[in-house]
Amino acid sequence: MTAAHERPARRPVRSYVIRSGRLTGGQRRAIEQYSPRYVIEFEPGLLDMRQLFPLPQPLTVEIGFGSGESLLAMAREQPQVNFLGIDVYQPGIGRLLQGIVEHDLENVRLICHDAVEVFADNLAEESVDRVLMLFPDPWPRKRHHKRRLVQPDFMRLVQSRLRPGGEVHLATDWPPYLEHMMEVMERIPGFSNRCGENACWESPERPLTRFELRGRRLGHEVRDLLYRKSGT
């Protein structure tokens, strides 16, 4: 189990709010029927990925998969990778479970819990190959900036869970949050920007999300960042 001193300080506020989107009948049935197989119940203690996934493959963790279409597409396109999705949005979980079953995917597992606690309590040091944080809530009001997930303490925790050479892929369509992400990441020793100092990833390798497509229609400029943990 992770030592208490390794955890980031407990915060009085979360980096998310639980959206109360309405579950369809199919989504509700998917959660009821398929959660025992694909959804990991949160409890303190390290997860054994050898027991969770049929094959010992590189592990990608996506924080905040939303409606799940991007995670589903990646899992289908990359069967040689195991994917662990973290989110608390119930309609998205139900929809993703429907897709997992429809396409008979065995390289996807989900956790419906706070990502900070999952990283602190469930993931071993140097056990993750890639972390995706695609369009986290930017919390644009200044008084809410403390809610932003990309903060020095959390990103240092993420770094400790990455294998040497592991990567963090970030994306946002909110320019002030892009600046915030860069400022945080560029100041953490042991992370290097794969695209150059303060540079964005111009041709990111990922599926388009519904959120992203909607933002582009509204004229939002989407930017991606890619950082690598030092080591071989």
Side-chain angles (χ1 to χ4, degrees):
M1 186 178 299
T2 304
H5 71 270
E6 293 182 3
R7 301 184 187 181
R10 295 294 183 185
R11 298 168 301 165
V13 294
R14 298 290 193 188
S15 62
Y16 61 87
V17 292
I18 297 178
R19 294 172 289 164
S20 57
R22 185 174 180 179
L23 284 164
T24 66
Q27 291 167 352
R28 189 179 302 278
R29 286 190 294 273
I31 291 174
E32 293 171 353
Q33 295 177 19
Y34 306 127
S35 287
R37 181 173 180 181
Y38 297 104
V39 179
I40 304 161
E41 291 293 330
F42 173 81
E43 59 181 25
L46 295 180
L47 296 174
D48 186 346
M49 298 302 165
R50 295 171 298 180
Q51 294 183 358
L52 294 180
F53 294 98
L55 297 175
Q57 304 182 138
L59 178 63
T60 289
V61 179
E62 180 170 12
I63 301 172
F65 54 79
S67 60
E69 73 271 18
S70 176
L71 179 53
L72 182 65
M74 288 186 290
R76 294 181 63 193
E77 295 168 0
Q78 303 173 49
Q80 75 282 7
V81 175
N82 290 330
F83 290 87
L84 178 64
I86 305 173
D87 209 313
V88 295
Y89 181 52
Q90 290 295 304
I93 293 163
R95 178 172 177 163
L96 181 52
L97 286 171
Q98 289 175 313
I100 291 171
V101 173
E102 177 185 353
H103 297 286
D104 194 25
L105 299 176
E106 288 297 334
N107 62 332
V108 186
R109 295 295 184 268
L110 311 177
I111 299 182
C112 309
H113 195 72
D114 175 55
V116 176
E117 294 182 358
V118 171
F119 270 79
D121 293 329
N122 294 154
L123 300 179
E125 291 188 1
E126 299 189 353
S127 65
V128 179
D129 295 272
R130 179 174 54 162
V131 175
L132 306 176
M133 300 171 66
L134 308 179
F135 306 101
D137 195 327
W139 294 103
R141 294 185 180 181
K142 186 174 182 180
R143 63 189 177 93
H144 290 155
H145 285 184
K146 61 186 177 182
R147 291 181 177 267
R148 290 175 170 175
L149 184 58
V150 180
Q151 302 286 1
D153 283 351
F154 180 58
M155 299 316 298
R156 282 191 287 267
L157 175 62
V158 168
Q159 184 185 64
S160 73
R161 272 48 182 169
L162 283 171
R163 301 184 194 278
E167 295 178 336
V168 178
H169 181 179
L170 307 160
T172 184
D173 66 341
W174 188 258
Y177 198 25
L178 175 68
E179 295 176 6
H180 172 84
M181 288 175 168
M182 282 185 168
E183 181 178 359
V184 169
M185 297 299 292
E186 299 282 346
R187 291 184 177 182
I188 298 178
F191 271 135
S192 61
N193 189 329
R194 291 290 311 281
C195 304
E197 187 176 355
N198 294 314
C200 294
W201 191 7
E202 297 301 334
S203 300
E205 299 170 359
R206 61 174 176 79
L208 295 178
T209 68
R210 183 182 308 177
F211 177 88
E212 179 177 3
L213 291 172
R214 182 179 60 188
R216 289 183 184 276
R217 288 195 298 268
L218 295 173
H220 298 176
E221 185 177 15
V222 174
R223 306 309 298 267
D224 288 65
L225 299 170
L226 186 64
Y227 286 86
R228 172 174 286 179
K229 178 178 176 177
S230 61
T232 58

